[in-house]
Each structure stands twice: as C-alpha cells, then as structure tokens.
C-alpha cells in the first residue's frame, strides 16, 4: 500500500511501526460554531483511510482532538454572554451529530485540549529543561533555531523564513529572542479561561495541544499524522519541532494532508458569504450524499462544491442503493437456496472488481477510482442477478457489494428517515392547517410524522420536534 508523505513529497510504501497496528492522529476542529463542509473533508477522507486500514486487517488506534480553548471560542462566548465551556460543549455535541450523519465513526479517543493541560505543562517544562524553550514575562516561547530540522515538513528553510520575519512579529511578542520563536504558553487576559502553571496563570498555545495529546494516547512515535493542507505550516511544522525536541525521536512517519474544498470555484470564507455548514446541507440532502461527493475526488486534489456535483453524487449513490435493494428484493423471492456451478463461476468474476477497488485504494487512497470499481460491480450484479438466481448467490453478491461500500463509509441499506428540512416543511403545513381550522389535515400530518418516528410537542415557544 502506497501513500503520499508530505515529509518526503513522494508516495511511499506503508510500513507500520508495529506489525498489524496503526497509530493515527488527525487534527480536529476548533469548536466555536457548526462545522462547515470544508471541515467535513478531512473527517470523511481520514475516516475512509481508517476504514481501509481496518479492512486490510490493521488494528487502528485513531485519535482526533477537539480544540476547545481558543480565541474564537472566547470571542463567541463574550458575544453570547455565556462561558467558553458552554460554547465548546455545545458545538462538540453538534459536531458529533454531523459526524454521525456523515457516517464518520467516532475516534478511538476524542481528547479535549482543556482536559490535557497538565500534560502540556509537563511537556513545556521538558522543553525548557532541554534549552529548547524559554520564559519571558509569563509567556513561554519555543526556541525555533534550536531545532535544526525546522522546516522539514513544509520544505521551507530557516533563512527564507527569516527574510519574511517582519510578518511573523506579532504585537506584544517583540520580547522574543528570535522572530521565528512561537508561543507554548501565554498569560491570560481579563475574563479568559486560565490554568495555573509555573510561568503564569494562562493557557497553552495551539500547537502544543496536539503534540501532547498525540503522545498521551498514541505514544512518542506514531504512524500517520493528518489534517488539512493549511495545517502543514506552521501547525504541523511546530508540532514536529516540539515533539521531536521533547522526546528525542521521530514524531510521525507519514504526514497526510487533504487539499481544500472550494465553493463554486471560490475559496469558502465568511467575508465572501459562501460559507456552508454541514447542518445546512443536511436540510437538503442525506449527508451520505455529501460523503459520496467528498470521495468523488482524490483527497490531494482541490474539490469544488456545487449544486450540480451534489446532484451527480446523489444519483450515483441512488444507483448503488437501488442495486442493493434489488438484490434484497430478489432474495426475498428466490426459489432456490444453494448456488449453482454457473453462479459460482459468475461470483468468482466479481473478484475482479474487488481487485480494482483495492488497487485504487492502495494507490494513495484513490477513492474516485475505487468508486468507479463499485459502479462496475453494480452494473455486473444488475445484469447477472435475476428472478431465477439462488438465494446464496444473491446474498454473496450483496455481501461483496456491502464490504466495498462499507470501506467508503456508505450505507446502502435505504434509509427511510426524513430530512430535517422535510420535517420542518410538514410542521409549517400543519400550523397553516390549524390556523385554517382544518384539524383533520393537521392531525393527519402529525400522524404521518409519528409513523416516521418524529414526535411533535406543542409549546408556548412554538412546535418542537424530536426523533423517537
Ligand atoms: P479548524 O477548525 O480550522 O482548525 O479546521 C479543522 C480541520 O478542517 C483542519 O484539518 C483544516 O485543515 C480543515 N479545513 C478547514 N477548512 C477547510 C477547507 N475549506 N477544505 C478542506 N479542509 C479544511
Ligand atoms: Zn493539530
């Protein structure tokens, strides 16, 4: 299996540190709002990498953090007049709902930065003892030049960085020994969450979080470290400097980065007003469609989000789901049990599609080609299975299809579940019916929703609903 390593800028054969096991860390979101569809890309991509590694028989320890202390969280808390903790807890819960919708499996561990401060302080202490960090007025900085390999991931050299140093100087940080030095610990400002430390009451810098959480849950050396390409510099470069300086070992063997997701060929940003959350998409589509869309391109290629591409993904996914449904239907009506010799031969042929699927995935996780192999496989079962097929043959065809779609994280059992948008539309219609005193219609809508597992509650603030 080959994967592209940002460190060497080459595709490399994957050899785990320990046979049969993979230790993998994926930088998670900062939780101050609903996640946007850009954040969803690394979640889906690396969940698929994990699923393929498991399909190959590896035991994967998958760690992904939530950054729950950050300027943006504090700003949002001040705006709403609540605590930072309330903001981060709320959006972690919302993020987990979105992950479930996208069929992104929970990590083995989802550490929270705020629960790991003690370990971060220890790591900073070690760095100071080793002469790799220093304190000035309550702030601790990493002494970047002390780490000779700085720049090895982003392929920048220290002198180039030095010539751009003016832009690196941030107000209030002019006490640094060198403009390249970065913050490990900073004193609190009035009203900010803070923790005690030997240097000041304050909070950790962002980069040290991941170095510490990765070490605590996966050990000093890991196989794969991943995230979006914007994290290569400075976040991952700084993580390497901290971890390798503190532990004296190579931190991660393979560094994987997904390219960005754009919208209608433009960068997604708040100022352009083209920012889309996963939650908004879920009102229009089953999030499986979003997942399939994300996997329709190679993870290292930029991907453009558009209504047309989502529609194409929707119909592609429907084709696969229909094939599975058809097999289930035929199975329910099959007249014979055991496979015939002819069927056994036909089944053998499906091995070809499995091989195509695997070789696409083994080539740096080419999910686009892997999905093409699934479509070929669908076409084959649509033409070979019919009312005369045996139950065993149909079951085997279905199992084989599911084993591949499972790797992509696609659920082919058709979901009858209603989308949030559909539910809300029906609730509005029910309100209108009540207003018009058409109680029969209002009750019929309530019953229809109940049948689909949606429970309505009339409250003073309006109608609330939940899934049973
Ligand atoms: P953040 O919350 O900004 O730290 O981002 C969480 C993850 O989402 C990181 O791995 C980012 O690199 C990734 N990410 C953010 N925006 C995008 C985007 N537009 N396309 C792809 N990945 C993104
Ligand atoms: Zn990180």
């Amino acid at each position: 299996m080959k994967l592209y390593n940002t460190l060497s800028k080459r595709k490399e054969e994957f050899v785990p540190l320990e046979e049969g096991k993979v230790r993998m860390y994926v930088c998670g979101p900062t939780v101050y709002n609903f996640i946007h569809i850009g954040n969803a890309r690394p979640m889906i991509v690396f969940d698929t990498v994990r699923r393929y590694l498991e399909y190959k028989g590896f035991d994967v320890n998958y760690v992904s953090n939530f950054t729950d202390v950050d300027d943006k969280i504090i700003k949002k808390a001040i705006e709403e007049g609540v605590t930072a903790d309330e903001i981060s807890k709320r959006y972690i819960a919302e993020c987990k709902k979105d992950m479930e919708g996208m069929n992104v499996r929970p990590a083995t561990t989802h550490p929270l930065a705020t629960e790991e401060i003690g370990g971060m302080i220890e790591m900073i202490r070690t760095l100071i003892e080793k002469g790799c960090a220093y304190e000035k007025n309550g702030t601790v900085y990493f002494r970047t030049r002390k780490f000779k390999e700085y720049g090895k991931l982003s392929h920048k050299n220290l002198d180039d960085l030095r010539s751009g140093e003016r832009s690196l100087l941030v107000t209030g940080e002019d006490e640094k020994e060198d403009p390249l030095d970065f913050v490990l610990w900073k004193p609190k400002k009035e009203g900010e969450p803070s923790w005690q430390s030997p240097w000041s009451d304050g909070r950790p810098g962002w980069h040290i979080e991941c170095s510490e959480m990765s070490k605590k849950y996966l050990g000093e050396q890991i196989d794969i470290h991943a995230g979006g390409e914007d994290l290569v510099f400075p976040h991952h470069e700084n993580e390497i400097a901290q971890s390798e300086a503190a532990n004296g070992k190579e931190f991660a063997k393979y560094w994987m980065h997904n390219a960005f997701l754009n919208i209608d060929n433009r960068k997604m940003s708040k100022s352009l007003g083209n920012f889309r959350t996963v939650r908004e998409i879920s009102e229009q589509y089953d999030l499986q469609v979003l997942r399939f869309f994300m996997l329709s391109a190679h993870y290292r290629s930029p991907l453009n989000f558009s209504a047309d591409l989502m529609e194409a993904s929707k119909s592609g996914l429907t084709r696969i789901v229909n094939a599975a449904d058809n097999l289930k239907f035929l199975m329910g009506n099959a007249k014979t049990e055991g496979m015939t010799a002819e069927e056994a031969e036909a089944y053998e042929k499906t091995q070809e599609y499995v091989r195509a699927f695997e070789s696409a995935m083994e080539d740096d996780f080419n999910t686009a080609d892997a999905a093409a192999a699934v479509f070929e496989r669908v076409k084959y079962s649509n033409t070979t299975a019919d009312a005369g097929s045996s139950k065993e043959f149909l079951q085997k065809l279905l199992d084989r299809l599911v084993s591949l779609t499972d790797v992509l994280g696609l659920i082919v059992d058709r979901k009858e579940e209603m989308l949030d948008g559909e539910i809300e539309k029906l609730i509005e219609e029910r309100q209108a019916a009540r207003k018009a005193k058409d109680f029969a219609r209002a009750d019929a809508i309530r019953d229809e929703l109940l049948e689909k597992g949606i429970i309505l509650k009339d409250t003073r603030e309006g109608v609330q609903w939940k899934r049973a």
Side-chain angles (χ1 to χ4, degrees):
M1 179 173 23
K2 287 201 162 21
L3 55 83
Y4 182 88
N5 190 352
T6 309
L7 204 54
S8 62
K9 287 171 114 176
R10 284 191 296 112
K11 281 187 199 169
E12 291 177 29
E13 188 61 33
F14 178 70
V15 183
L17 290 162
E18 195 180 333
E19 207 184 318
K21 293 197 171 160
V22 178
R23 286 173 242 174
M24 181 166 177
Y25 187 96
V26 182
C27 292
T30 306
V31 277
Y32 64 100
N33 208 334
F34 287 99
I35 57 162
H36 57 68
I37 53 177
N39 299 136
R41 191 170 189 194
M43 286 180 181
I44 291 170
V45 161
F46 298 116
D47 176 65
T48 306
V49 168
R50 172 196 194 176
R51 285 168 183 267
Y52 188 68
L53 291 166
E54 288 180 349
Y55 168 87
K56 293 278 290 182
F58 288 106
D59 176 8
V60 184
N61 189 348
Y62 187 97
V63 176
S64 189
N65 66 300
F66 284 113
T67 295
D68 62 344
V69 55
D70 174 88
D71 289 343
K72 292 192 223 93
I73 301 174
I74 296 169
K75 183 165 169 261
K76 177 95 169 183
I78 293 168
E79 276 166 18
E80 286 195 17
V82 298
T83 61
D85 190 54
E86 190 171 330
I87 296 291
S88 58
K89 290 236 160 56
R90 181 197 305 160
Y91 290 113
I92 287 170
E94 297 296 357
C95 176
K96 286 185 172 170
K97 275 191 220 160
D98 289 337
M99 285 168 66
E100 195 182 334
M102 298 186 293
N103 202 23
V104 169
R105 282 174 39 210
T108 316
T109 315
H110 277 293
L112 306 184
T114 55
E115 290 177 2
E116 309 290 345
I117 307 281
M120 294 178 211
I121 290 175
E122 276 316 302
M123 196 175 228
I124 296 171
R125 209 200 291 268
T126 306
L127 288 169
I128 293 177
E129 276 164 17
K130 292 193 165 188
C132 298
Y134 57 94
E135 186 245 346
K136 282 263 172 82
N137 301 321
T139 304
V140 183
Y141 297 99
F142 185 86
R143 192 171 271 133
T144 302
R145 277 179 188 280
K146 186 93 190 186
F147 184 67
K148 295 288 174 246
E149 291 176 280
Y150 193 81
K152 68 177 172 181
L153 180 72
S154 51
H155 306 280
K156 292 178 190 294
N157 82 41
L158 279 174
D159 295 321
D160 291 348
L161 286 170
R162 173 120 208 145
S163 63
E165 71 189 30
R166 265 171 214 287
S167 58
L168 290 169
L169 267 181
V170 178
T171 341
E173 289 187 6
D174 39 7
E175 61 191 7
K176 293 196 281 192
E177 286 176 2
D178 186 316
L180 293 177
D181 296 350
F182 57 89
V183 172
L184 298 175
W185 185 268
K186 56 185 163 196
K188 69 165 183 190
K189 292 197 198 104
E190 198 45 44
E192 287 184 357
S194 67
W195 291 263
Q196 281 184 344
S197 83
W199 316 289
S200 59
D201 278 0
R203 59 185 163 107
W206 171 36
H207 318 300
I208 196 78
E209 280 180 22
C210 293
S211 282
E212 164 55 22
M213 293 187 272
S214 174
K215 177 179 168 177
K216 175 161 174 192
Y217 294 99
L218 297 170
E220 292 180 345
Q221 287 190 287
I222 68 171
D223 294 290
I224 302 174
H225 195 119
E229 66 183 3
D230 58 322
L231 300 186
V232 174
F233 187 85
H235 186 53
H236 288 164
E237 196 68 63
N238 291 356
E239 278 189 44
I240 292 178
Q242 297 163 155
S243 295
E244 300 195 357
N247 306 327
K249 289 184 186 138
E250 183 182 39
F251 177 31
K253 231 174 140 181
Y254 305 95
W255 288 84
M256 295 180 74
H257 295 98
N258 64 272
F260 257 44
L261 177 83
N262 299 316
I263 292 197
D264 296 323
N265 292 313
R266 297 198 319 171
K267 194 178 148 93
M268 186 169 49
S269 79
K270 281 222 163 106
S271 54
L272 286 173
N274 60 359
F275 202 83
R276 304 284 293 272
T277 63
V278 170
R279 197 57 60 88
E280 280 162 1
I281 303 301
S282 77
E283 285 163 13
Q284 220 180 332
Y285 292 99
D286 184 328
L287 289 178
Q288 288 281 299
V289 176
L290 183 67
R291 180 166 186 126
F292 195 43
F293 158 75
M294 294 281 183
L295 298 176
S296 66
H298 189 270
Y299 75 93
R300 283 189 292 114
S301 306
L303 177 58
N304 188 44
F305 181 90
S306 71
D308 285 353
L309 289 174
M310 281 295 280
E311 284 304 319
S313 295
K314 185 176 173 182
S315 61
L317 188 61
T318 306
R319 246 198 298 158
I320 302 172
V321 172
N322 283 348
D325 272 358
N326 188 37
L327 290 172
K328 281 186 262 179
F329 173 79
L330 292 174
M331 235 185 297
N333 296 293
K335 295 190 181 61
T336 55
E337 284 293 325
M339 240 180 0
T340 63
E342 225 173 33
E343 283 178 334
E345 204 175 299
Y347 176 67
E348 241 346 271
K349 271 196 128 180
T350 62
Q351 193 63 32
E352 210 178 287
Y353 306 111
V354 176
R355 270 197 294 273
F357 178 90
E358 288 179 358
S359 69
M361 292 300 276
E362 306 260 320
D363 182 17
D364 192 29
F365 305 98
N366 191 336
T367 52
D369 285 1
V374 172
F375 281 129
E376 287 301 313
R377 171 68 193 71
V378 159
K379 223 193 282 168
Y380 184 77
S381 93
N382 286 348
T383 50
T384 35
D386 58 31
S389 302
S390 72
K391 202 168 173 183
E392 186 187 358
F393 179 57
L394 296 163
Q395 182 70 59
K396 286 194 131 178
L397 285 178
L398 180 64
D399 290 350
R400 184 143 274 180
L401 179 62
V402 170
S403 79
L404 300 187
T405 51
D406 241 13
V407 173
L408 300 178
L410 302 171
I411 301 168
V412 294
D413 287 332
R414 193 192 290 284
K415 276 207 244 164
E416 293 297 344
E417 212 173 69
M418 293 180 90
L419 302 177
D420 290 7
E422 290 174 324
I423 296 168
E424 270 142 28
K425 229 185 239 150
L426 277 172
I427 291 176
E428 265 169 39
E429 203 187 318
R430 176 169 168 264
Q431 295 299 82
R434 282 171 135 195
K435 222 171 176 183
K437 304 217 178 313
D438 182 356
F439 296 111
R441 175 73 192 131
D443 286 348
I445 292 174
R446 169 182 282 254
D447 293 345
E448 183 186 338
L449 284 166
L450 196 60
E451 214 166 274
K452 300 244 163 80
I454 310 298
I455 300 166
L456 301 187
K457 198 171 146 201
D458 294 306
T459 72
R460 231 177 278 167
E461 288 80 41
V463 183
Q464 290 175 350
W465 63 269
K466 64 172 187 188
R467 294 184 197 274

